[in-house]
Amino acid sequence: MAARGVGTTELARKVGITSTNLSRFKKGKVKCVRFTTLNALCRELKCQPMDLLSYLPDED
């Protein structure tokens, strides 16, 4: 976001989610994300999904 010069409130508005949900996404506190939301984030940030997501295996 910093590299794109966009703040949390502005990005949340453009993507159509709340600032709280975007903050949770940034902190890695979400368990799932809709493809439409991921698509909107990638569109606004001009990035690929792999730039936003990482795989962490369950601690079983």
Side-chain angles (χ1 to χ4, degrees):
M1 291 173 42
R4 303 286 189 258
V6 63
T8 302
T9 304
E10 180 184 358
L11 181 60
R13 182 184 54 77
K14 288 181 177 183
V15 171
I17 61 175
T18 65
S19 294
T20 301
N21 283 340
L22 181 57
S23 179
R24 294 188 76 211
F25 187 87
K26 287 172 42 180
K27 293 177 183 178
K29 300 291 183 183
V30 295
K31 300 238 184 234
C32 64
V33 62
R34 291 182 179 170
F35 285 116
T36 53
T37 302
L38 185 58
N39 183 56
L41 285 167
C42 289
R43 180 190 67 234
E44 294 300 325
L45 296 174
K46 296 174 180 56
C47 67
Q48 294 296 312
M50 65 184 201
D51 297 327
L52 303 175
L53 303 174
S54 62
Y55 172 73
L56 299 173
D58 291 335
E59 295 181 19
D60 291 341

